[in-house]
């Protein structure tokens, strides 16, 4: 089944404890991106990647890192999480670029205490 | 900078009615516009993608239109059902950028 998977789905952590949220897609898509969704603010793009080893900042990249060592994986790294990073995070992928149909993962609900 | 607006933020209609959701954008230089559905606490499901060269796109009871010059798109839902209750979001990738901008969504509630 063609899909985007994220792990973990739920995570409660404490301020400053490094964490990684994994994202994987099995559709051989080149474009992958991370979003956060907050009440009243909607979905905002954090980082995106056009292909392996190519990443770029979205609208809200502060406090996040990403890497794209393989085509299928695009992990989101929070080196020192803070409470304002408590949010619902989504990974998405598309065939070539941002103008193709976007496929979303199920989401990761992160709480930083 | 591209801004995407969805009005109203919330809408309640009786079952069986036809309804229209609106999406407007400030920069008409877009590749396409995509409509999504999101159920509470869940991911986004793609409904329709309408290319900038298209006027309409249909899937079952859903019809999306695009007027690029006026910066507007509508999602028409025919014969609404309680299962249509969800949040509907529109998103535009911007031609001069590699990013995607989302509207904040319209929360739709179909009353049985």
């Amino acid at each position: 089944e063609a899909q985007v998977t994220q792990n973990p789905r739920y995570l409660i952590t404490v301020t400053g404890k490094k964490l990684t949220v994994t994202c994987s897609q099995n559709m051989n898509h080149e474009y992958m991106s991370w979003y956060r969704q907050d009440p009243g603010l909607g979905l905002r793009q954090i980082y995106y990647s056009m292909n392996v080893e190519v990443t770029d900042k979205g609208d809200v990249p502060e406090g996040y890192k990403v890497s794209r060592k393989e085509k299928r994986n695009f992990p989101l790294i929070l080196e020192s999480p803070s409470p304002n990073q408590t949010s619902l995070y989504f990974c998405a992928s598309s065939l070539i670029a941002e103008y193709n149909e976007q496929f979303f993962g199920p989401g990761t609900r992160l709480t930083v205490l | 900078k591209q801004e995407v607006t969805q009005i109203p933020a919330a809408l309640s209609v009786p079952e069986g009615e036809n309804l229209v959701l609106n999406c407007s954008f400030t920069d008409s230089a877009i590749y396409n516009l995509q409509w999504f559905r999101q159920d509470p606490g869940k991911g986004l499901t793609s409904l329709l993608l309408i290319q900038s060269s298209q006027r309409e796109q249909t899937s079952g009871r859903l019809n999306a239109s695009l007027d690029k010059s006026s910066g507007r798109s509508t999602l028409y839902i025919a014969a609404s059902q309680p299962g249509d209750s969800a949040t509907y979001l529109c998103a535009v990738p911007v031609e001069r950028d590699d990013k995607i901008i989302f509207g904040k969504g319209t929360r739709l509630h179909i009353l049985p």
Side-chain angles (χ1 to χ4, degrees), chain B residues 26-41:
Chain B
T26 55
D27 186 346
S28 62
I30 63 170
Y31 289 112
N32 55 48
L33 187 144
Q34 193 168 0
W35 282 94
F36 295 88
R37 170 191 171 127
Q38 185 179 26
D39 294 289

Side-chain angles (χ1 to χ4, degrees), chain A residues 6-22 34 64 76-83 85-89 106-113:
Chain A
Q6 295 178 229
N7 282 292
R9 295 288 315 280
Y10 302 92
L11 179 61
I12 301 175
T13 189
V14 296
T15 298
K17 187 175 181 182
K18 181 179 178 180
L19 66 92
T20 299
V21 184
T22 65
W34 276 102
Y64 304 95
L76 180 70
I77 303 155
L78 285 72
E79 295 267 1
S80 183
S82 62
Q85 293 179 296
T86 293
S87 187
L88 180 58
Y89 291 87
T108 294
R109 186 166 294 281
L110 172 65
T111 301
V112 183
L113 302 174

Side-chain angles (χ1 to χ4, degrees), chain A:
Chain A
E1 181 190 352
Q3 60 183 348
V4 179
T5 57
Q6 295 178 229
N7 282 292
R9 295 288 315 280
Y10 302 92
L11 179 61
I12 301 175
T13 189
V14 296
T15 298
K17 187 175 181 182
K18 181 179 178 180
L19 66 92
T20 299
V21 184
T22 65
C23 172
S24 183
Q25 49 90 9
N26 62 0
M27 297 171 278
N28 202 34
H29 284 174
E30 294 188 0
Y31 186 91
M32 297 185 75
S33 59
W34 276 102
Y35 298 86
R36 61 178 289 173
Q37 187 176 36
D38 302 287
L41 297 176
L43 268 159
R44 294 176 293 168
Q45 199 168 23
I46 303 170
Y47 269 96
Y48 60 94
S49 169
M50 299 292 286
N51 212 326
V52 175
E53 302 293 359
V54 180
T55 63
D56 220 331
K57 296 177 181 178
D59 288 324
V60 287
E62 296 78 20
Y64 304 95
K65 284 176 57 178
V66 293
S67 70
R68 188 91 181 272
K69 293 185 171 59
E70 306 165 283
K71 198 171 189 178
R72 62 182 295 132
N73 297 323
F74 190 44
L76 180 70
I77 303 155
L78 285 72
E79 295 267 1
S80 183
S82 62
N84 64 13
Q85 293 179 296
T86 293
S87 187
L88 180 58
Y89 291 87
F90 290 102
C91 178
S93 72
S94 65
L95 184 62
I96 296 173
E98 72 285 358
Y99 47 76
N100 297 119
E101 184 180 5
Q102 300 289 314
F103 294 86
F104 277 75
T108 294
R109 186 166 294 281
L110 172 65
T111 301
V112 183
L113 302 174

